[in-house]
Amino acid sequence: MTYEQLIARRYLQSKQRAGFISVITFVAVGGVILGVAALVIILSVTNGFSGELKSRLIGMNAHVNIERYFGKPIENWQEIVNGLRQRPDRLVAAPVIEGKVVMATEDEEMDGIFVWGIEQESFDDVSDLAEHLRYDSEGIFRFEPPAGHDRPGIVLGSYLAGRMRVGLQDEIYLMTISHASLEDVLIGGFTPKLHPFVVTDIFESGMYHYDDNFAFIALDDARKVLSSEGVTNIHIHVGDLDRATEVREELAEELGYPLLVTDWTQRFPELFHWVELEKWVIFIALSLIIVVAAFNIMSILTMSILIKTAEIGILRAMGATARGIGRVFVYQGLIIGVFGTLLGCAIGLAVCLIQDRFRIISIPSDIYIISSLPVDVQPLDFLLVSAVSVSICLLASFIPARKAASLQPVDAIRYLV
């Protein structure tokens, strides 16, 4: 340990005439701790929100999607699906029929919903929605009529089921007016077709939009309800999510018009860009807490120089260089910055781990699409916050250090008289 480091540590630990300085030192360290902990926690929460959005939205909508222009059905979908499964990269594909219908209950509750017709086996391979089924412990969509019923099954979102006041094994009706001509509507009015179903399960994805508006039925039943000969979409799961764009470009070139190929980056680009932008804005804003703590450090060192001017003169008279005196006060700022940063990171990490483990803070899912505050601790964020914090504290100590280094021995020793 050099004499500069030794003197810097002794100055920070002094509890004699400079006792007031020690109190302010604790305040400055507390400011660094608070700023670093707040930055770490908020960045982890932002990462958590981004990760939850990505996993849930992409898990629901597939990595790559094939559809036909103008929403027309894909008639040769079986050929396309077989071709995708035989590719060298073995893409997982699932046919889906999407449509809008009116749902009615025996209690005369009615509302418009989105209905997806899916294959039970293939859809489970491209979506994680089956993991959120409330009653099926195996995580499999089941549309077979339950015992005592002869109606096909339907799976409803939890909020939709609660709003329509239906539960497991209750009967509901899907109403459509497909292929009704304008002349028939004007002359005879609407004559909707009723398709009875029985509720076989309820899913709760944690995303209010889906839980309140979506229902799932078997692919063959969707053909009857929506009067569709083909499928409207082919959902594709890519093993490596980062390859989704590459796979999309390859398929778009292979399939060509009239098929439209999109990937997850094109479905919600504004949302993910907004989340990333918000993360940097929060980082810059909360960094001001550390800047305030740095001003405290600058004030502490300036006051310390005034109080210890005579001691600085003695050190200079004993042979200490101006650069060495400057290092004494730089080391003080560095010690405060490093100690506060390490303790702030530790506190922030502890808070994040506790929230991730016990889900202490819950939030309304109808507003934030998830039910608890998510956290995602990333080492790169800790390194970035630590580097910024220590750098700010180090820079704050340079001005007082230059002032101390500029003191002349004769002028400083006069304070002894």
Side-chain angles (χ1 to χ4, degrees):
M1 179 181 293
T2 63
Y3 79 90
E4 295 100 334
Q5 295 172 342
L6 177 63
I7 295 173
R9 190 182 68 176
R10 292 291 299 272
Y11 278 179
L12 288 174
Q13 294 175 343
S14 175
K15 295 183 180 180
Q16 298 175 359
R17 292 183 303 169
F20 179 66
I21 300 297
S22 299
V23 173
I24 301 181
T25 301
F26 284 113
V27 173
V29 173
V32 176
I33 294 172
L34 177 62
V36 171
L39 268 174
V40 168
I41 293 171
I42 295 300
L43 291 180
S44 298
V45 169
T46 304
N47 293 334
F49 269 111
S50 179
E52 287 288 337
L53 281 172
K54 183 181 294 186
S55 63
R56 293 176 186 256
L57 290 175
I58 297 173
M60 180 76 175
N61 290 277
H63 300 167
V64 180
N65 183 65
I66 301 176
E67 58 187 319
R68 190 173 175 181
Y69 280 95
F70 312 115
K72 294 183 178 181
I74 304 173
E75 296 178 353
N76 61 331
W77 64 270
Q78 290 179 323
E79 178 183 345
I80 296 174
V81 169
N82 291 334
L84 293 173
R85 293 171 178 171
Q86 294 173 2
R87 283 170 53 97
D89 47 2
R90 297 289 183 178
L91 296 177
V92 180
V96 177
I97 299 178
E98 300 180 10
K100 296 180 181 179
V101 299
V102 175
M103 173 179 164
T105 68
E106 295 181 342
D107 295 332
E108 300 183 356
E109 297 283 346
M110 299 177 61
D111 200 358
I113 65 170
F114 296 95
V115 62
W116 283 16
I118 62 174
E119 280 187 343
Q120 294 169 269
E121 299 81 7
S122 62
F123 189 75
D124 289 342
D125 294 331
V126 301
S127 172
D128 60 0
L129 192 63
E131 300 174 4
H132 303 287
L133 293 174
R134 180 177 293 176
Y135 299 105
D136 196 309
S137 58
E138 298 180 7
I140 300 175
F141 281 97
R142 302 185 188 277
F143 302 117
E144 299 81 6
H149 294 270
D150 57 356
R151 312 294 194 187
I154 185 171
V155 178
L156 303 177
S158 58
Y159 283 98
L160 175 62
R163 180 162 50 84
M164 301 296 286
R165 294 186 293 182
V166 293
L168 200 62
Q169 298 194 8
D170 285 343
E171 290 193 3
I172 60 97
Y173 299 90
L174 300 182
M175 298 191 299
T176 62
I177 53 172
S178 300
H179 300 292
S181 65
L182 179 61
E183 182 180 356
D184 293 338
V185 171
L186 293 175
I187 295 176
F190 290 99
T191 54
K193 296 180 180 179
L194 295 179
H195 304 272
F197 286 85
V198 60
V199 179
T200 54
D201 212 326
I202 293 173
F203 71 89
E204 189 172 7
S205 67
M207 301 182 64
Y208 180 80
H209 172 69
Y210 293 112
D211 294 347
D212 190 58
N213 295 284
F214 279 75
F216 293 84
I217 59 177
L219 190 67
D220 292 336
D221 295 327
R223 288 198 182 96
K224 300 175 184 177
V225 174
L226 300 173
S227 302
S228 175
E229 296 297 329
V231 299
T232 58
N233 299 77
I234 298 176
H235 289 191
I236 302 172
H237 180 85
V238 181
D240 184 3
L241 188 60
D242 295 331
R243 289 193 62 248
T245 301
E246 178 185 345
V247 172
R248 185 255 302 170
E249 294 174 350
E250 294 176 359
L251 294 178
E253 185 177 352
E254 293 177 10
L255 299 175
Y257 186 85
L259 296 179
L260 173 64
V261 185
T262 57
D263 62 65
W264 68 271
T265 63
Q266 296 174 308
R267 282 185 172 268
F268 315 100
E270 298 85 2
L271 181 59
F272 292 119
H273 177 72
W274 172 79
V275 171
E276 190 67 22
L277 179 63
E278 183 186 40
K279 177 179 178 179
W280 285 107
V281 171
I282 291 173
F283 177 81
I284 295 173
L286 290 182
S287 295
L288 296 177
I289 300 178
I290 302 177
V291 173
V292 172
F295 277 107
N296 289 336
I297 294 173
M298 190 182 302
S299 301
I300 292 166
L301 297 180
T302 302
M303 295 174 64
S304 178
I305 292 170
L306 294 176
I307 293 174
K308 301 182 182 298
T309 300
E311 298 178 19
I312 294 172
I314 294 174
L315 290 173
R316 290 298 307 276
M318 293 174 63
T321 63
R323 182 173 296 180
I325 296 298
R327 288 199 192 103
V328 170
F329 293 93
V330 170
Y331 285 145
Q332 289 186 62
L334 185 60
I335 292 172
I336 293 174
V338 171
F339 181 76
T341 299
L342 291 177
L343 195 54
C345 286
I347 293 174
L349 178 62
V351 171
C352 292
L353 294 178
I354 291 173
Q355 172 62 20
D356 185 55
R357 176 66 177 83
F358 299 104
R359 303 290 180 181
I360 296 175
I361 303 176
S362 59
I363 56 178
S365 59
D366 56 338
I367 299 176
Y368 297 100
I369 74 175
I370 47 182
S371 56
S372 64
L373 197 67
V375 290
D376 179 15
V377 178
Q378 296 187 3
L380 186 61
D381 289 339
F382 279 77
L383 293 176
L384 179 61
V385 171
S386 299
V388 170
S389 175
V390 173
S391 299
I392 291 175
C393 295
L394 190 61
L395 290 174
S397 64
F398 278 136
I399 295 178
R402 290 185 61 182
K403 179 177 178 60
S406 65
L407 289 175
Q408 297 301 318
V410 175
D411 297 332
I413 293 176
R414 288 177 184 173
Y415 282 83
L416 290 174
V417 182

